[in-house]
Amino acid sequence: MTEYKYICAKHRFWVDAHPKDAFESIQQITKLAEQWLQKNQPNQAIPYLGTAYETAEIIFDNRLESPQLTTCLTSLAIMLAHAYAATNQINAANSLLKHLNTKMKCAIDCALGYNTKVAFFEHCSKAINEAKNDIIFASATSTVTTNQFSQIH
């Protein structure tokens, strides 16, 4: 069983029992997170993004996948990873993206023979890898910039 950080057991069971309603709540929660991100307050957005991501993951893990759900899961992971990175939680960002990429690779393996599904999951995997590379690059750039400033003083 997956361990969840943002969603409690009671809500996990609710998601299992009400996947359609849960997916609608993901969209509402995501809007709240986006408002915090627009205000450049990633710390405030993280709990919302984490809850939305974990809810989408539960639905996905129940094999109730759809292109809309998979896209939502991927975009939430990327937004959450960027919010983690913005708050210097690089390991959490990388771990999250690695976890979802592993999940996409499993989905690809399960979808073999269904070329359209495989192509879609591969597209999501590519987006996850690009986000991971962006975070690594931004982190490296930030470290270089910080080191340059510390050498000046």
Side-chain angles (χ1 to χ4, degrees), residues 18 25-26 39 55 60 79 104-106 115 118 127 148 150:
H18 304 93
S25 74
I26 290 169
K39 295 176 183 176
T55 302
F60 185 87
M79 285 194 302
M104 285 299 148
K105 288 179 181 179
C106 289
N115 292 341
V118 168
Q148 286 176 343
S150 63

Side-chain angles (χ1 to χ4, degrees), residues 84-149:
Y84 280 148
T87 58
N88 294 318
Q89 298 178 66
I90 304 301
N91 290 338
N94 288 330
S95 177
L96 172 70
L97 294 173
K98 181 179 178 184
H99 172 76
L100 184 57
N101 208 22
T102 300
K103 196 174 289 274
M104 285 299 148
K105 288 179 181 179
C106 289
I108 290 166
D109 291 343
C110 290
L112 288 178
Y114 298 95
N115 292 341
T116 305
K117 273 188 155 185
V118 168
F120 182 70
F121 289 132
E122 286 175 343
H123 175 75
C124 291
S125 183
K126 183 179 178 184
I128 294 164
N129 284 327
E130 288 175 3
K132 187 171 184 175
N133 290 337
D134 288 347
I135 288 169
I136 290 169
F137 179 75
S139 174
T141 304
S142 174
T143 302
V144 168
T145 303
T146 302
N147 287 341
Q148 286 176 343
F149 286 126

Side-chain angles (χ1 to χ4, degrees), residues 11-87:
H11 285 101
R12 186 198 183 304
F13 292 122
W14 178 82
V15 172
D16 283 334
H18 304 93
K20 185 179 178 185
D21 292 335
F23 186 71
E24 290 174 10
S25 74
I26 290 169
Q27 294 168 328
Q28 295 169 356
I29 295 168
T30 302
K31 287 179 184 176
L32 293 171
E34 288 171 342
Q35 290 173 1
W36 287 113
L37 291 174
Q38 288 172 355
K39 295 176 183 176
N40 198 27
Q41 296 186 11
N43 273 330
Q44 299 295 327
I46 288 173
Y48 293 102
L49 291 170
T51 301
Y53 170 78
E54 289 178 357
T55 302
E57 183 179 31
I58 291 166
I59 299 168
F60 185 87
D61 287 349
N62 287 337
R63 291 289 169 231
L64 299 173
E65 68 209 36
S66 69
Q68 186 179 12
L69 172 63
T70 306
T71 300
C72 178
L73 180 65
T74 302
S75 65
L76 283 166
I78 291 169
M79 285 194 302
L80 180 55
H82 280 285
Y84 280 148
T87 58

